[in-house]
Each structure stands twice: as structure tokens, then as C-alpha cells.
Amino acid sequence: MQRRGSSPSVPSRPALGRREQDALATRQALIDAGRQLFSARGYARVATEEIVERAKVTRGALYHHFRDKRDLFRAVFESVEQDLIGRIAASMDGVTDSWDVLRTGLRAMLDACNEPAVKQIGLVDAPAVLGWREWREIDERYGLGLLRAALGAAMDAGVLRRVPVDALAYVMLGALTEAAFVVANADDPATARRETEAALIGMLEGMRA
């Protein structure tokens, strides 16, 4: 029986056994190897034999954890997205002004567009390999929540005009995605980076309260 005033007990998760730990380590090794190779040469130029050799596992281990090369690529893309959103969120931590939070997150996203993993995996290969619908679903799953929260906080602080936040988040995510494509594929990435930032900031300026 719980004593009055005491904190409720939270059941702890059972520790993973050695077999489960080994399975997770093998899966992660495959994702890490795929990320390195796909970033460097692109999906089409990487063979599964190279992936298992880089991961130091057997070919059977690859097909135990993933249906095929495309299924592994999907997991790699999700790891890139998760890492990117984590870094964008970290860049916004400690920024107290709601307007500066939006600009900081926007700049962090644009800064990442020419990183090999983000550019090759996220912006070049993923739409083609996974198809537009699946690529978009993953992109929204990782990025939409953070963007919605930042826009909502800016509205609550009176920085942006009050509009339906979900609609605005989808619109801004689409604009950010297109800006990322422009920067990643530009002959002059520095100029494209500067011009797309100015355009995106201008869109947000139009929403200022």
C-alpha cells in the first residue's frame, strides 16, 4: 500500500538480456553503416554486401532486422531526421524570445542542408527511394511537432498574429522543405542559403502581430 504523501511507484522496465542487447547493437551497426555509405555515395551506388561488411555482421543479420535494402534505408532516413530535429531543438534551447526561437530554428535547418547525410539521404535519395508520400509522412512526423510548438508559443506571446496553428505549421513546413531543396541543389549554396533565409524570415515578418 502506498503511504499518504509518498510518490507513486513507477514500475521499472526489465533489463534487456544479452540476446536483446546484441540484437539492438547489430541493428544499430547496420543503420550506422548504411548512413555512412548512403551519405558518401548515394543509395543506388551502395550494395548490401558493402553494408554488412562495414557493419561487421552477416548478410543473414541484415535480412533478420530489415526486409531489404529499402527497409534499411528507411530506418537510416528516420535516424537522420531524428538527429536533425534533435539538433534544431537543442539550438533553440535557452532562447527566451519567441521571435528569436523561430529564427534560430529556421537558421539551424538551413545550415544543415549541405551536410552529407541531410543532403544526400534526406533531400536527394529519400523522396525517390521511399516515394513522395512516405517521405513526406516521415518528414512531418519528425518536424511538424517542433514547428507547431514554436509557432504556438509565438502566438501565445503575442509575437505572431493568431491563426490556426496547425494550418500555419503545415504551410511553414512546406516552405522550409522547399527552401532546403533549393539550398541543397544550388550551384552556389551560400547565396541560396542567404536568399532562402531572407525569404522565409520575410514570410514570418508578414505574420508579426
Side-chain angles (χ1 to χ4, degrees):
M1 180 181 295
Q2 181 184 325
R3 292 181 298 174
R4 182 176 297 178
S6 63
S7 300
S9 59
V10 178
S12 58
R13 293 182 178 179
L16 293 176
R18 179 62 181 271
R19 180 175 297 178
E20 289 83 0
Q21 291 178 18
D22 289 346
L24 288 175
T26 298
R27 187 178 192 277
Q28 190 60 51
L30 286 162
I31 291 173
D32 291 344
R35 180 168 176 161
Q36 293 165 12
L37 292 167
F38 294 145
S39 296
R41 299 212 309 276
Y43 178 84
R45 293 185 176 90
V46 175
T48 55
E49 291 81 4
E50 296 176 89
I51 296 171
V52 297
E53 182 179 351
R54 177 69 63 92
K56 294 181 171 60
V57 301
T58 65
R59 189 176 179 84
L62 170 64
Y63 291 109
H64 173 75
H65 290 280
F66 302 100
R67 291 188 301 275
D68 49 26
K69 179 180 158 185
R70 181 186 182 279
D71 193 36
L72 170 62
F73 178 83
R74 188 184 196 280
V76 169
F77 173 49
E78 292 210 38
S79 78
V80 171
E81 286 285 286
Q82 188 173 23
D83 176 62
L84 175 61
I85 294 305
R87 287 187 288 127
I88 292 173
S91 76
M92 297 158 72
D93 282 348
V95 181
T96 56
D97 181 84
S98 296
W99 178 250
D100 287 339
V101 167
L102 288 171
R103 292 194 304 178
T104 299
L106 182 153
R107 287 169 177 161
M109 172 63 189
L110 292 177
D111 286 342
C113 289
N114 276 305
E115 294 177 3
V118 174
K119 178 178 179 177
Q120 184 65 47
I121 294 173
L123 298 173
V124 175
D125 284 335
V129 174
L130 301 178
W132 185 264
R133 179 175 296 181
E134 188 172 5
W135 169 79
R136 188 67 174 171
E137 182 273 326
I138 295 171
D139 188 52
E140 289 179 359
R141 174 149 41 90
Y142 285 96
L144 193 62
L146 180 63
L147 184 55
R148 183 191 291 117
L151 292 168
M155 291 180 196
D156 292 341
V159 173
L160 295 181
R161 294 198 307 273
R162 180 70 64 180
V163 298
V165 68
D166 284 349
L168 181 59
Y170 276 107
V171 169
M172 287 304 304
L173 182 62
L176 277 166
T177 300
E178 288 304 314
F181 280 125
V182 169
V183 175
N185 292 290
D187 293 330
D188 183 356
T191 298
R193 163 73 177 73
R194 184 170 61 254
E195 291 177 350
T196 52
E197 179 181 333
L200 290 166
I201 293 294
M203 289 178 62
L204 286 172
E205 288 280 4
M207 294 293 302
R208 290 293 290 266

